Amino acid sequence: MDVFERIPMDVRWKLAAREISALPLAYRRAIRDGADDYLYNEVERAAWQEQGREVGVIARAFGMPTGNARGVAEAFAAATRVFFGPEYRYEIQESGSDEALLTVRGCAMVARADERGEDPLTVCNACHAYANAAIPALNPDYAPKYRSSICAGDRACSIAVRPAGRE
C-alpha cells in the first residue's frame, strides 16, 4: 500500500479543506508588513476571484443545473463545500421570483480565524471576492447580494442569489 493511501479519503478532504480555509490568514501574515492595505486587498481579491471561477468548472464537470437562482445557489454551495469541507454548513430556500436565499451557518474561514485569535473580518475580503466571482461563473445572469455575514459578527451569512443588475 502506498503511504498516501494510509490516510483515509475523508480525512484527506478534511485536511485539505482546513488548509484552504486558512489561506487568507496565511497570506495576510506573510504579506501584511510589506504592502499597504489597498495593495494587499487587491492582490488577495484577485487570488480569490480565480478560486471562485473554479466553482463553475466543478458545476459543469458534474452536470449541476445552473439555469435558475436555486440551481446557482445549490451549485455554489456544493462546490464551496468541496473546497472548504464539512465545516461549511448551509441551507437554501427560494425567497421570491427567481431568487434563492443561501444561509451559511458554518464558515471554515471564520473558524480558522477564531482558532488563530484573528479578527474574523480579515477573511471577509477573500470570501466576498470568491463568491462575487463564483456566482457569475455558474451563470453570468446571476449575482450575490449580501444581507449578513458571519465574519462581520452576524450569526449567519445570508446571501441572496438573484438576477444580476437587480437592486
Side-chain angles (χ1 to χ4, degrees), residues 69-71 73 92-96 98-102 159-162:
R70 182 168 188 100
I92 298 169
Q93 302 170 330
E94 291 183 44
S95 62
D98 200 23
E99 182 173 301
L101 184 62
L102 171 63
I159 305 164
V161 176
R162 57 194 203 171

Side-chain angles (χ1 to χ4, degrees), residues 12-25:
R12 283 184 246 158
W13 174 49
K14 288 175 185 173
L15 291 171
R18 186 174 178 77
E19 292 309 309
I20 286 174
S21 64
L23 282 176
L25 302 165

Side-chain angles (χ1 to χ4, degrees), residues 4-18:
F4 177 75
E5 296 297 325
R6 291 181 186 193
I7 304 169
M9 182 139 347
D10 65 322
V11 173
R12 283 184 246 158
W13 174 49
K14 288 175 185 173
L15 291 171
R18 186 174 178 77

Side-chain angles (χ1 to χ4, degrees), residues 44-55 129-130 133:
E44 181 180 53
R45 223 179 336 271
W48 284 95
Q49 286 168 339
E50 192 59 37
Q51 185 69 32
R53 286 189 278 277
E54 289 299 309
V55 168
Y130 168 81

Side-chain angles (χ1 to χ4, degrees), residues 3 16 30 35 38 43 45 50 60 66 88 90 95 107 109-110 123-124 147 152 167:
V3 174
Y38 177 80
V43 169
R45 223 179 336 271
E50 192 59 37
R60 286 186 291 284
T66 59
Y88 183 77
Y90 63 90
S95 62
C107 174
M109 284 196 268
V110 169
V123 301
C124 196
R147 296 183 176 160
E167 283 302 313

Side-chain angles (χ1 to χ4, degrees), residues 24 27-28 31-32 34-49 121-130:
Y27 287 153
R28 190 163 292 280
I31 300 170
R32 155 176 51 205
D36 66 33
D37 285 342
Y38 177 80
L39 176 60
Y40 175 79
N41 287 335
E42 289 301 308
V43 169
E44 181 180 53
R45 223 179 336 271
W48 284 95
Q49 286 168 339
L121 199 53
T122 61
V123 301
C124 196
N125 186 50
C127 178
H128 282 208
Y130 168 81

